Amino acid sequence: MKKTILLFIALSFSVISFSRTFFLLEKEGYQTPIDTPSNKKHIYEYNPLYRASNTLSIDIIHTNLYVKFNWDSSLLYGKAEILLKSHFYALDKIYLNARGMRINSIKISDHTSKADIPFSYKYENDSIKISLNKKYTSSQQLLATINYVAQPEKLKEGGSNAIQSDKGLYFINPKNEVPGKLPQIWTQGETQSNSVWFPTVDSPNEKMTQDIYITVDKKYTTLSNGLLTDIKDNKDGTKTDHWKMDLPHAPYLVMMAIGEFKKVTDKPWKGKEISYYVEPAYEPYAKAIFGNTYKMIDFFSNKLGVDFAWPKYGQIIARDYVSGAMENTSATLHGEFLYQTDRDTVGGVKGESVISHELFHQWFGDLATCESWSNLPLNESFATYGEYLWNEYFNGRDAADENHYRSGRGYFGRHGSVDNSPALIRYFYSNREDMFDGVSYNKGGQVLHMLRKLVGDDAFFQSLKLYLTQNKFKATEIHHLRLAFEETTGQDLQWFFNQWFMYGGHPMLQINKSYNADSKILTLTIQQNQPEEFPIYKLPVDIDIYLSKETIRKKIIIDEAAETFTFQVSENPLLVNFDTERQLLAKIDYPKSTEEYMYQFEHAPLWLDRYEAITNLKDKLNNNTVLEFFITKVLKDKYAGIRSEAINILKSKIKDNSNLKEVIKTIAQKDMAVSVKADAIASLSETYDENILLIYKNTLDKEYSSELISVCLYGLNKNNKDMADMYAKKFENDKSKSIIMAVTAIYSESGKDTHFDFMIKNLSTFTGFETFGYMSMLGKYLKKVNSSGYILNAAKTISTYYKNGGKMNKFAAQKVLNDITNVWSDKEKNLKKSIEEAKKNNNPTQSLEDELKTVSETAKNLKEIVNKFGA
């Protein structure tokens, strides 16, 4: 719905908050209204950046799409049959989003009578503007039939840090020019890019059902939303797959993917199919990669009290994907970073946080959808917190708290200054893509955790159930969530939503404590030091006071700029642990002694208690007591993440401490966690000896984990290059990307012709974000290659990646092509100088001139290749 910001502020904020809101607007260059009888205007009239929810003049009820493709030209030929009506007011105009299309024909008819309706239309500014012969009411359904051609390669490409491209429709290696890379087509609709490949109302507050008929060659597998209800063989050797989605969802969540995928079906959930679509090479590993999906669906359904709503859940891994993953309704698309072999999943599946994130979106984002991008946290904050919930359930609270903390650091890394921290709910932004940041994701997940701790688990999940039940298949804004919590708890939670959702920034706390032995009074002083334009936070927190024989928990509420809390306790506490649940998103300055941190590590129960302790002790390792504490206590912690952190902290001490070195060697061989063993092996590379060589060899000969094998290969390459080369050859044909990358690192230093085929063959193994690492090492290798034939062969192959890859591929290939061209141009210059010097000294030049001819020709050909592709 459309709602003015002035009314919102008037209802939501105190007088102080109101003035601070205006301060923020003025600070960011916005004008604010002067409240006088002669000037009563709304804020958004003064602020062109105010982002109202899109007004719905029409509702799309259902869309039938018929699509087929010209792979060579990267075109989609489509017909859309759009059943629609006016939203409320009678209308004589229909506006549809249609980006960069060629419109061939349009027909409008009365859905009931089937009679044609007179109309005229204009196609301009990526919009089909249809003028009807009269006004039609919301009780009259119309059918718009549009024949069109989608031409994504002709679009001016945009994007953001989170979603790198907005072409909407992607043809991957469509002419099959890149060896080892299977051609694919896939779509990416968020934020408003699906209108590239079908006409629609491309807005998150629109909802519709759909049927998609996809015509492709029979060798291709397709995936879309809903269920595959029919496969029709056509006379021309193609087939048409019919995908039906009979539950309403937003247009940006519509998807399709096409390629030579293998479909792997898992155990169904309550009769609903669970399936995974992967390239043939990864078919044996699909269940290892996605195998916890059933458990996730079951857990989230039970935890929320709302069953997974959609008719199936499919997941697919696509090449050259422009983001991490996308929660298309019932059909999530992942980037290829998720591909793993059985070696890679030893010790745990990598990417489960992403899998749980996208699955939680099926409730938060797909079932209940943010009505505007200003309200994006209703999608992304919840999906981020879904990662915490799954981790907590499946891996334990230590793992959940660690990932949650690191997510919070991700927010502080970009928004550590409160001046650089916008509100979660932002009605003012330059570009909707700006919403996809560490605030909507990372900060939002932290805020939901605080809300859970505030109301308690039972109330938190009951409130989410109410929110989802009341708003299923609808579009929502932040007040729907607040009202669900207030209805459940009976509390007025406006204060919490104001300070955490509507304001930017975060608390900055200075905490000091003292104890008076005579009065037996513990005093805690707390100051909020965030700039005055940000709110004074209300912060309910618990404090644990550790005494020699008991631990006392106190609940306090901080709600002033400076406060003093006093507690009667019988002795000077061993530790005063502030925010015992470790829930606050805040910058906290609370100094403690070495003894307090050591006590905290041993007695406070949470991961962050222990992590905070060791990170504050790491600069005190020259203290023998502290060092011994790490060796005897920290390296034996129950949680693998703490043990790994300790190993990394102790790296600098291993070389000069024989006892520590022996302990790390033992961990490298016997720890139960693969990740800890890998960190231990890596830390030993600086203290190489024959015993460490034996650890490398035993690991490489006996272990199956790609993580352990890779770290040993890197270690050998650093300390024993002959043995590294021998083992690299042994693993040349392994399917694990991490092992291939380790072998590549070894070969990149050689420039040997015998390694050329391996280096070029594996170009197709890495795409997307992984391309940078591989291309960097390939470039390092090619700079040392002296064979003109090999270099030109490599340049031609790399140029196909530049031509047919995504942004990452183009950027990485461009750098390699430029680098090797410069190397051979320098060779040419140096040879010319050498010939001149030889002539001055009356020395023979024939061999140099012969070499120059080859080098000059190679340099010329390289420049032609670079110029051809604009690299």
Side-chain angles (χ1 to χ4, degrees):
M1 71 186 82
K2 184 177 180 179
K3 175 172 58 61
T4 69
I5 190 68
L6 186 63
L7 177 59
F8 173 78
I9 293 175
L11 290 174
S12 302
F13 287 86
S14 66
V15 173
I16 294 175
S17 299
F18 185 75
S19 65
R20 285 182 172 172
T21 301
F22 284 150
F23 183 97
L24 286 170
L25 295 176
E26 289 171 338
K27 185 176 180 183
E28 296 182 28
Y30 305 129
Q31 291 178 294
T32 56
I34 301 171
D35 192 10
T36 66
S38 61
N39 187 10
K40 293 269 188 185
K41 293 189 176 181
H42 292 295
I43 289 176
Y44 66 82
E45 294 182 60
Y46 285 80
N47 293 281
L49 296 183
Y50 171 65
R51 305 300 182 184
S53 299
N54 292 328
T55 300
L56 294 177
S57 59
I58 68 168
D59 283 336
I60 295 179
I61 301 166
H62 185 82
T63 299
N64 288 327
L65 287 176
Y66 304 84
V67 297
K68 56 185 179 180
F69 309 93
N70 183 325
W71 290 75
D72 288 342
S73 301
S74 295
L75 299 174
L76 176 151
Y77 302 110
K79 181 174 79 168
E81 297 172 342
I82 306 170
L83 182 63
L84 56 86
K85 66 179 186 65
S86 70
H87 181 76
F88 181 82
Y89 300 105
L91 59 79
D92 59 4
K93 289 183 172 57
I94 299 170
Y95 288 174
L96 296 170
N97 302 111
R99 284 182 55 205
M101 291 182 178
R102 187 167 74 238
I103 306 300
N104 291 333
S105 67
I106 298 178
K107 175 183 176 182
I108 309 294
S109 59
D110 183 292
H111 181 60
T112 304
S113 69
K114 311 301 180 187
D116 290 350
I117 292 173
F119 70 96
S120 62
Y121 81 92
K122 289 182 180 179
Y123 179 55
E124 58 185 9
N125 299 324
D126 291 332
S127 180
I128 303 172
K129 302 175 180 178
I130 300 171
S131 298
L132 304 173
N133 62 326
K134 64 175 185 178
K135 289 192 173 184
Y136 291 82
T137 69
S138 59
S139 63
Q140 296 172 286
Q141 294 184 358
L142 307 180
L143 184 67
T145 303
I146 303 171
N147 286 281
Y148 62 94
V149 179
Q151 37 197 5
E153 297 307 315
K154 293 186 178 181
L155 289 174
K156 182 179 180 181
E157 190 172 4
S160 66
N161 289 333
I163 307 170
Q164 298 162 16
S165 171
D166 63 352
K167 286 197 304 183
L169 175 65
Y170 298 82
F171 289 79
I172 307 303
N173 193 24
K175 299 179 183 179
N176 203 15
E177 294 175 315
V178 179
K181 185 176 184 180
L182 296 173
Q184 296 176 3
I185 297 172
W186 46 263
T187 63
Q188 166 57 35
E190 194 174 39
T191 51
Q192 294 174 199
S193 299
N194 270 343
S195 53
V196 168
W197 63 280
F198 65 94
T200 192
V201 175
D202 209 347
S203 177
N205 58 348
E206 180 62 79
K207 297 270 186 170
M208 67 176 195
T209 56
Q210 77 204 39
D211 287 85
I212 302 182
Y213 300 82
I214 305 171
T215 299
V216 291
D217 191 278
K218 290 181 180 179
K219 68 180 179 180
Y220 291 124
T221 298
T222 70
L223 175 65
S224 187
N225 315 97
L227 297 176
L228 179 60
T229 62
D230 181 57
I231 301 174
K232 177 186 175 184
D233 289 332
N234 303 315
K235 294 180 180 179
D236 61 358
T238 63
K239 64 166 183 171
T240 300
D241 290 352
H242 175 198
W243 288 90
K244 186 176 189 65
M245 168 57 85
D246 57 6
L247 296 173
H249 66 148
Y252 80 88
L253 296 167
V254 177
M255 72 83 71
M256 63 179 175
I258 298 149
E260 293 183 59
F261 296 105
K262 293 294 184 181
K263 176 183 176 181
V264 177
T265 303
D266 214 333
K267 174 184 174 183
W269 185 83
K270 293 188 177 182
K272 297 182 177 184
E273 178 186 287
I274 297 174
S275 52
Y276 320 123
Y277 294 73
V278 295
E279 292 182 12
Y282 289 93
E283 183 180 12
Y285 316 118
K287 286 188 178 180
I289 297 169
F290 294 109
N292 284 325
T293 300
Y294 177 97
K295 293 177 183 177
M296 288 183 188
I297 294 175
D298 198 57
F299 167 68
F300 287 146
S301 296
N302 291 330
K303 197 73 173 173
L304 295 169
V306 177
D307 275 359
F308 177 81
W310 311 107
K312 67 108 175 28
Y313 191 55
Q315 296 178 86
I316 192 166
I317 300 177
R319 289 272 188 149
D320 292 345
Y321 185 52
V322 294
S323 189
M326 179 63 203
E327 67 274 11
N328 309 295
T329 313
S330 79
T332 288
L333 189 149
H334 295 277
E336 66 258 57
F337 68 90
L338 211 55
Y339 274 138
Q340 298 161 73
T341 68
D342 51 353
R343 282 191 189 274
D344 301 316
T345 56
V346 175
V349 178
K350 300 168 184 67
E352 276 214 342
S353 288
V354 177
I355 295 171
S356 61
H357 179 109
E358 304 308 327
L359 177 58
F360 210 53
H361 265 309
Q362 300 297 315
W363 285 265
F364 296 93
D366 296 8
L367 187 60
T369 308
C370 65
E371 72 169 14
S372 68
W373 302 118
S374 295
N375 285 276
L376 180 68
L378 289 171
N379 294 8
E380 295 301 347
S381 299
F382 273 103
T384 301
Y385 196 55
E387 299 174 34
Y388 182 94
L389 294 174
W390 170 250
N391 237 327
E392 181 184 37
Y393 167 74
F394 193 71
N395 297 311
R397 181 160 179 185
D398 276 352
D401 283 353
E402 179 181 11
N403 288 338
H404 187 66
Y405 170 83
R406 299 197 188 284
S407 179
R409 295 312 94 181
Y411 159 73
F412 282 123
R414 293 291 300 275
H415 307 282
S417 166
V418 290
D419 294 337
N420 185 36
S421 175
L424 266 168
I425 306 300
R426 279 166 270 174
Y427 290 99
F428 300 91
Y429 55 75
S430 297
N431 187 303
R432 60 180 177 261
E433 303 293 342
D434 297 342
M435 289 295 298
F436 293 81
D437 62 6
V439 176
S440 293
Y441 288 74
N442 306 54
K443 180 181 181 179
Q446 308 285 312
V447 169
L448 290 174
H449 190 61
M450 287 188 288
L451 182 56
R452 176 185 175 187
K453 295 302 178 182
L454 174 69
V455 301
D457 274 20
D458 289 346
F460 181 77
F461 291 107
Q462 188 64 35
S463 298
L464 296 187
K465 178 181 180 180
L466 181 63
Y467 167 78
L468 291 169
T469 303
Q470 289 178 333
N471 298 291
K472 63 181 179 180
F473 308 123
K474 295 179 182 178
T476 64
E477 58 178 88
I478 190 62
H479 296 301
H480 291 101
L481 182 67
R482 175 179 58 81
L483 291 171
F485 271 85
E486 292 184 346
E487 183 175 340
T488 299
T489 65
Q491 301 178 40
D492 185 334
L493 294 171
Q494 189 77 62
W495 66 270
F496 182 92
F497 279 76
N498 281 352
Q499 74 180 21
W500 288 113
F501 284 96
M502 308 314 301
Y503 270 125
H506 46 263
M508 300 177 69
L509 305 180
Q510 175 67 50
I511 302 173
N512 291 286
K513 74 175 189 307
S514 62
Y515 181 73
N516 187 311
D518 294 333
S519 63
K520 297 189 183 302
I521 295 294
L522 170 67
T523 301
L524 208 62
T525 60
I526 302 174
Q527 288 182 295
Q528 296 196 42
N529 292 329
Q530 59 271 17
E532 65 177 11
E533 63 265 30
F534 293 91
I536 297 300
Y537 285 82
K538 178 179 178 180
L539 304 172
V541 294
D542 293 344
I543 297 170
D544 277 357
I545 303 169
Y546 287 81
L547 305 176
S548 57
K549 294 183 179 180
E550 64 175 334
T551 302
I552 302 169
R553 176 159 295 188
K554 297 291 185 179
K555 295 181 181 294
I556 65 171
I557 296 177
I558 306 162
D559 56 7
E560 295 180 12
E563 293 184 80
T564 299
F565 299 90
T566 59
F567 310 94
Q568 188 84 38
V569 293
S570 60
E571 61 185 273
N572 191 2
L574 297 165
L575 174 70
V576 178
N577 201 13
F578 176 80
D579 184 22
T580 55
E581 275 296 320
R582 299 296 186 167
Q583 56 157 320
L584 285 184
L585 179 71
K587 284 290 187 75
I588 301 175
D589 183 2
Y590 177 24
K592 298 173 189 171
S593 68
T594 297
E595 292 71 24
E596 284 175 310
Y597 280 126
M598 292 169 69
Y599 184 90
Q600 178 174 309
F601 181 89
E602 290 199 81
H603 294 88
L606 301 182
W607 173 86
L608 189 49
D609 293 319
R610 291 159 13 242
Y611 177 79
E612 179 186 83
I614 63 175
T615 53
N616 280 280
L617 291 170
K618 67 182 180 181
D619 293 331
K620 301 176 181 179
L621 293 176
N622 289 332
N623 180 325
N624 288 333
T625 301
V626 174
L627 181 58
E628 188 64 20
F629 179 79
F630 268 85
I631 295 172
T632 59
K633 301 289 186 181
V634 183
L635 285 175
K636 296 179 181 179
D637 191 81
K638 63 178 181 178
Y639 178 58
I642 293 290
R643 301 197 299 277
S644 281
E645 191 69 31
I647 290 168
N648 291 319
I649 289 172
L650 292 167
K651 273 182 182 179
S652 63
K653 297 293 181 182
I654 296 174
K655 187 174 183 179
D656 300 320
N657 189 307
S658 58
N659 179 41
L660 174 58
K661 186 174 181 179
E662 291 307 311
V663 170
I664 298 297
K665 285 180 182 178
T666 300
I667 291 172
Q669 298 170 84
K670 295 184 177 181
D671 198 279
M672 297 300 292
V674 167
S675 59
V676 178
K677 291 173 78 172
D679 285 327
I681 291 170
S683 72
L684 292 169
S685 65
E686 300 293 337
T687 60
Y688 184 75
D689 60 30
E690 289 302 313
N691 289 330
I692 293 172
L693 174 61
L694 187 60
I695 291 173
Y696 287 152
K697 291 176 65 177
N698 286 339
T699 302
L700 288 166
D701 290 336
K702 297 176 183 179
E703 291 284 358
Y704 198 68
S705 159
S706 62
E707 186 175 3
L708 293 176
I709 290 168
S710 298
V711 77
C712 285
L713 288 173
Y714 286 120
L716 277 179
N717 193 43
K718 189 172 184 179
N719 294 290
N720 190 324
K721 293 191 181 298
D722 288 340
M723 188 169 287
D725 200 70
M726 180 190 78
Y727 272 104
K729 187 169 183 61
K730 174 182 175 181
F731 289 106
E732 270 190 3
N733 296 315
D734 202 276
K735 294 181 180 179
S736 166
K737 291 186 191 179
S738 62
I739 292 177
I740 294 172
M741 194 69 85
V743 174
T744 302
I746 293 169
Y747 288 173
S748 69
E749 298 180 4
S750 72
K752 293 179 181 178
D753 291 350
T754 52
H755 296 153
F756 182 82
D757 289 342
F758 171 87
M759 299 295 285
I760 296 301
K761 178 186 73 173
N762 282 294
L763 264 172
S764 62
T765 303
F766 300 97
T767 53
F769 292 102
E770 302 164 332
T771 302
F772 286 111
Y774 188 81
M775 281 284 190
S776 175
M777 287 188 283
L778 176 62
K780 183 178 179 181
Y781 166 78
L782 290 174
K783 287 179 185 179
K784 299 173 183 176
V785 171
N786 292 315
S787 166
S788 171
Y790 279 144
I791 281 295
L792 291 176
N793 183 348
K796 290 173 184 176
T797 304
I798 292 169
S799 69
T800 64
Y801 284 83
Y802 181 85
K803 180 181 177 183
N804 294 285
K807 281 186 177 180
M808 297 296 170
N809 299 65
K810 290 182 187 296
F811 183 87
Q814 177 183 16
K815 187 176 187 311
V816 174
L817 289 172
N818 284 334
D819 285 351
I820 60 176
T821 300
N822 291 336
V823 166
W824 283 78
S825 294
D826 288 343
K827 284 184 179 183
E828 183 180 28
K829 293 175 185 175
N830 291 333
L831 277 170
K832 287 180 179 178
K833 288 180 182 179
S834 296
I835 291 171
E836 288 175 5
E837 289 293 324
K839 287 180 177 178
K840 286 180 183 178
N841 297 322
N842 294 318
N843 291 329
T845 62
Q846 187 59 52
S847 62
L848 289 174
E849 288 175 351
D850 290 343
E851 184 179 355
L852 176 63
K853 183 178 179 182
T854 300
V855 169
S856 296
E857 186 67 22
T858 304
K860 176 185 174 184
N861 290 335
L862 286 171
K863 288 176 183 176
E864 288 175 354
I865 292 171
V866 168
N867 292 334
K868 179 179 179 181
F869 292 101

